[in-house]
C-alpha cells in the first residue's frame, strides 16, 4: 500500500498543500469577521422591539378623530317592547230582535258619545207599548172604583150596618188591583226600553270600524257577531314590559311625579307620540320575569293604532350637569376602562375613567376627565402614551340634549358603579394604559 503522509510527498507537493490550507483559513477568518461586524451593527441599531415601536409611534403623527368632553343634562331611559291598546273598545250588538231600518254612520267615521249609529224597526215595540198603556188605563179605573167602595164600607162600620169581613175583603181587592196597576206600569217601562234599544247610540267618543250589517238585515239579541266595533283612539294606551329588577326604582320615581313615556316605531327610528305613565300591573309574570306598565297618549294626530307594536321609552330621571363623552371614546384594558386624552402639545395620555351610565352614543363619566378636555374617538388602536396625533374633524359629542337622539339605558339606575362592573360599552384593546 502506498504511504501518502507528508513525509513521503515531494517537496513541491508539500508546498502546494500548505498554500491550500492557508487560503482556506484566510477565507474562514474573513467570514467570521464579517459576521461579527453585522452582529455588532444589529446590536447597536436594533435594541428592544417595543422601545423601537414606541419611538416610531412617538416620532410620527397619527391621524385620529377627537371630541370634547362636555357637561350636559342626561336623560335616563328604560326601554320596553309594547303594544298599543284602545282605551275603550265596544262590540256593538243588538239587544232586541228586528229589522235594521237605517245605518247612520260611515266606515272609519269618528263619532261622539250619544250619536245615533243604527235604527231597528221599533213599530212592534210601539204597538206593545200602546197595548200596555190601555191595559193600565183599565186597571186604574177598576182600582179607583174599588177604593171608593172601600171608603163607603169604612164609614158604615160604626153604625154596624156592614160586617167587618166584607170591609176586609174589599180592602184586599184594592190591594190586588194596586198590584195589577204596578205590573202594568212595569210592562210599559219595559216596552219603552225596547224602543230605546231600537236606537243604538255610541257609548263613548271613538272611531267606527268596518260594519258587519246593512239596512234591511234582520238582527237578533242572541247573535254572536257584533254589528260594528267602536274603539276609542283619543286617548289611547300602550302596554309595555320592563324587567322586575327596575320596578322598585320606577315605583319610587312615580311617587315624585308623573313619568313621561315616548313611543317609537318598530324600527326605532321614528318617534310617534309622547304620553304619561298611568300605572304598573299588580303582578309579575313568573315565566319572563317582567311586569306590565300602562301609559296613556292623547294621540291627537292618530299616530298610534290598536295592536300596533311600538318601543316604549320611559324617562326615569334626568341627571343634571353630567360629564359626558362619546361612547366611542371608551376603551377597555387590563387596568379597566380608560380613554385617550389630548394634551396641549398634541400628544395623548391614557386616563383611567369611571363610567356611571352608558346610553347609546353617550357615556356619563364621574372620574378621570373633566369638561373642556378632548378625547380620541377613533384611531385609538394606533396610539400609546405620548403618541403625537393629527386631529381630524371633531366628531359630535353625542350628548342627548344636543342631537335629541333616543337613548337606551345599558347600565344601573342607582348610584355610580365602578368600571370593572360595567358591560363592554366601549372598544376592547390589547394595550395596557401607560405601556
Amino acid at each position: 500500500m502506498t504511504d501518502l503522509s507528508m513525509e513521503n510527498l515531494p517537496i513541491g507537493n508539500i508546498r502546494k498543500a500548505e498554500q491550500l490550507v492557508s487560503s482556506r483559513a484566510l477565507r474562514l477568518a474573513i467570514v467570521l469577521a464579517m459576521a461579527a461586524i453585522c452582529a455588532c451593527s444589529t446590536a447597536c441599531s436594533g435594541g428592544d422591539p417595543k422601545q423601537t415601536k414606541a419611538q416610531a409611534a412617538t416620532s410620527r403623527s397619527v391621524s385620529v378623530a377627537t371630541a370634547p368632553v362636555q357637561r350636559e343634562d342626561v336623560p335616563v331611559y328604560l326601554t320596553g317592547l309594547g303594544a298599543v291598546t284602545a282605551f275603550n273598545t265596544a262590540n256593538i250588538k243588538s239587544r232586541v230582535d228586528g229589522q235594521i231600518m237605517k245605518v247612520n254612520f260611515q266606515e272609519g267615521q269618528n263619532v261622539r258619545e250619544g250619536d245615533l249609529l243604527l235604527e231597528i224597526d221599533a213599530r212592534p215595540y210601539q204597538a206593545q207599548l200602546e197595548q200596555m198603556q190601555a191595559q193600565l188605563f183599565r186597571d186604574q179605573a177598576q182600582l179607583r172604583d174599588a177604593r171608593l167602595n172601600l171608603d163607603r164600607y169604612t164609614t158604615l162600620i160604626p153604625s154596624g150596618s156592614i160586617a167587618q169581613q166584607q170591609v176586609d175583603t174589599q180592602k184586599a181587592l184594592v190591594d190586588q188591583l194596586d198590584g195589577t196597576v204596578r205590573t202594568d206600569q212595569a210592562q210599559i217601562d219595559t216596552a219603552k226600553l225596547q224602543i230605546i234599544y231600537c236606537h243604538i247610540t255610541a257609548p263613548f267618543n271613538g272611531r267606527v270600524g268596518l260594519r258587519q250589517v246593512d239596512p234591511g238585515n234582520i238582527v237578533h239579541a242572541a247573535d254572536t257577531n257584533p254589528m260594528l266595533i267602536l274603539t276609542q283612539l283619543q286617548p289611547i294606551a300602550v302596554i309595555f314590559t320592563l324587567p322586575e329588577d327596575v320596578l322598585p326604582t320606577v315605583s319610587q320615581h312615580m311617587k315624585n311625579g308623573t313619568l313621561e313615556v315616548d313611543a317609537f316605531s318598530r324600527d326605532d327610528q321614528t318617534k310617534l307620540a309622547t304620553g304619561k305613565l298611568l300605572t304598573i300591573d299588580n303582578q309579575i309574570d313568573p315565566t319572563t320575569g317582567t311586569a306590565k306598565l300602562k301609559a296613556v297618549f292623547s294621540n291627537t294626530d292618530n299616530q298610534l293604532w290598536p295592536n300596533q307594536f311600538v318601543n316604549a321609552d320611559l324617562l326615569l330621571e334626568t341627571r343634571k350637569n353630567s360629564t359626558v363623552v362619546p361612547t366611542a371614546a371608551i376603551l377597555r384594558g387590563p387596568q379597566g376602562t380608560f380613554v385617550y386624552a389630548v394634551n396641549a402639545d398634541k400628544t395623548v395620555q391614557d386616563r383611567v375613567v369611571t363610567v356611571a351610565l352608558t346610553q347609546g352614543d353617550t357615556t356619563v363619566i364621574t372620574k378621570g376627565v373633566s369638561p373642556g378636555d378632548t378625547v380620541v374617538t377613533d384611531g385609538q388602536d394606533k396610539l400609546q402614551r405620548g403618541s403625537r396625533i393629527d386631529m381630524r374633524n371633531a366628531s359630535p359629542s353625542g350628548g342627548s340634549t344636543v342631537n335629541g337622539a333616543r337613548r337606551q339605558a345599558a347600565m344601573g339606575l342607582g348610584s355610580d358603579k365602578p368600571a370593572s362592573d360595567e358591560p363592554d360599552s366601549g372598544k376592547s384593546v390589547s394595550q395596557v394604559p401607560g405601556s
Side-chain angles (χ1 to χ4, degrees):
M1 181 179 296
T2 306
D3 187 4
L4 297 180
S5 61
M6 296 293 292
E7 291 80 356
N8 298 328
L9 290 176
I11 296 176
N13 292 339
I14 292 174
R15 291 179 177 176
K16 291 181 179 180
E18 291 176 350
Q19 293 177 357
L20 180 60
V21 172
S22 177
S23 176
R24 290 180 179 177
L26 180 60
R27 291 178 181 177
L28 180 60
I30 294 174
V31 171
L32 293 176
M34 293 180 64
I37 293 173
C38 292
C40 181
S41 176
T42 302
C44 294
S45 61
D48 187 2
K50 292 184 179 180
Q51 183 179 1
T52 303
K53 182 178 179 181
Q55 292 175 352
T58 305
S59 61
R60 68 173 183 273
S61 298
V62 180
S63 178
V64 297
T66 61
V69 180
Q70 296 185 352
R71 187 178 298 277
E72 297 179 355
D73 296 340
V74 179
V76 179
Y77 287 99
L78 296 177
T79 300
L81 181 63
V84 181
T85 304
F87 205 74
N88 288 303
T89 301
N91 295 325
I92 307 297
K93 297 182 180 180
S94 175
R95 302 181 68 175
V96 296
D97 299 340
Q99 181 181 8
I100 296 179
M101 304 300 294
K102 186 181 295 185
V103 177
N104 294 329
F105 66 88
Q106 296 180 353
E107 295 174 318
Q109 177 182 348
N110 291 321
V111 297
R112 301 189 64 83
E113 180 180 356
D115 289 351
L116 182 62
L117 302 178
L118 294 166
E119 291 185 21
I120 299 175
D121 188 4
R123 290 175 296 179
Y125 304 103
Q126 183 65 38
Q128 291 181 6
L129 174 62
E130 294 175 357
Q131 181 181 357
M132 295 303 166
Q133 289 175 340
Q135 185 175 343
L136 174 64
F137 185 78
R138 182 196 63 187
D139 293 339
Q140 285 177 340
Q142 294 178 355
L143 176 60
R144 286 195 301 271
D145 180 64
R147 284 177 175 172
L148 291 175
N149 291 332
L150 178 61
D151 293 339
R152 296 189 189 100
Y153 294 163
T154 303
T155 58
L156 295 176
I157 291 177
S159 63
S161 303
I162 190 170
Q164 183 65 38
Q165 181 180 1
Q166 187 176 359
V167 176
D168 294 339
T169 302
Q170 187 65 27
K171 183 177 181 180
L173 179 61
V174 170
D175 292 340
Q176 290 177 5
L177 293 176
D178 185 40
T180 302
V181 170
R182 294 184 182 186
T183 301
D184 295 341
Q185 185 62 50
Q187 291 177 347
I188 290 175
D189 294 340
T190 301
K192 291 180 178 180
L193 187 60
Q194 298 298 319
I195 294 176
I196 294 176
Y197 287 160
C198 290
H199 300 78
I200 300 175
T201 59
F204 49 80
N205 298 343
R207 180 185 176 92
V208 178
L210 303 179
R211 73 183 187 189
Q212 307 297 324
V213 293
D214 299 311
N217 293 158
I218 302 297
V219 294
H220 305 276
D223 291 342
T224 57
N225 295 327
M227 295 181 292
L228 64 110
I229 298 177
L230 180 65
T231 56
Q232 185 175 0
L233 304 182
Q234 299 173 352
I236 202 167
V238 171
I239 297 178
F240 61 99
T241 58
L242 288 178
E244 58 180 332
D245 297 339
V246 303
L247 293 184
T249 304
V250 176
S251 179
Q252 184 63 34
H253 283 80
M254 287 182 66
K255 296 178 181 179
N256 300 330
T258 304
L259 301 182
E260 183 178 295
V261 180
D262 295 331
F264 286 80
S265 59
R266 182 182 297 184
D267 59 5
D268 231 10
Q269 300 298 322
T270 305
K271 183 177 178 180
L272 302 177
T274 299
K276 304 295 182 181
L277 181 64
L278 181 62
T279 185
I280 304 175
D281 198 6
N282 59 355
Q283 59 183 349
I284 296 174
D285 187 351
T287 59
T288 60
T290 59
K292 295 181 179 179
L293 292 86
K294 186 175 184 180
V296 180
F297 298 79
S298 59
N299 198 33
T300 55
D301 52 359
N302 290 328
Q303 291 295 312
L304 300 177
W305 294 87
N307 301 324
Q308 177 183 1
F309 286 101
V310 296
N311 289 307
D313 279 7
L314 172 62
L315 178 58
L316 192 64
E317 61 177 330
T318 300
R319 298 193 175 184
K320 301 291 185 179
N321 298 324
S322 299
T323 302
V324 298
V325 298
T327 303
I330 303 299
L331 304 173
R332 294 189 64 85
Q335 296 184 5
T337 306
F338 69 99
V339 298
Y340 278 114
V342 180
N343 299 323
D345 57 355
K346 291 188 177 181
T347 59
V348 295
Q349 178 185 5
D350 51 273
R351 297 185 188 177
V352 178
V353 295
T354 301
V355 177
L357 177 70
T358 297
Q359 295 213 139
D361 56 1
T362 297
T363 298
V364 178
I365 302 297
T366 58
K367 184 179 180 182
V369 292
S370 301
D373 293 343
T374 302
V375 295
V376 179
T377 59
D378 184 43
Q380 299 100 316
D381 55 337
K382 301 177 183 178
L383 298 178
Q384 291 184 0
R385 176 182 296 179
S387 297
R388 185 172 298 277
I389 62 171
D390 181 14
M391 293 185 293
R392 302 196 298 265
N393 292 334
S395 61
S397 64
S400 58
T401 58
V402 175
N403 55 24
R406 174 178 171 266
R407 309 295 178 209
Q408 179 176 359
M411 308 186 71
L413 303 175
S415 59
D416 299 338
K417 295 184 177 181
S420 59
D421 295 336
E422 297 159 1
D424 291 339
S425 57
K427 303 176 182 177
S428 178
V429 297
S430 59
Q431 298 166 324
V432 179
S435 60

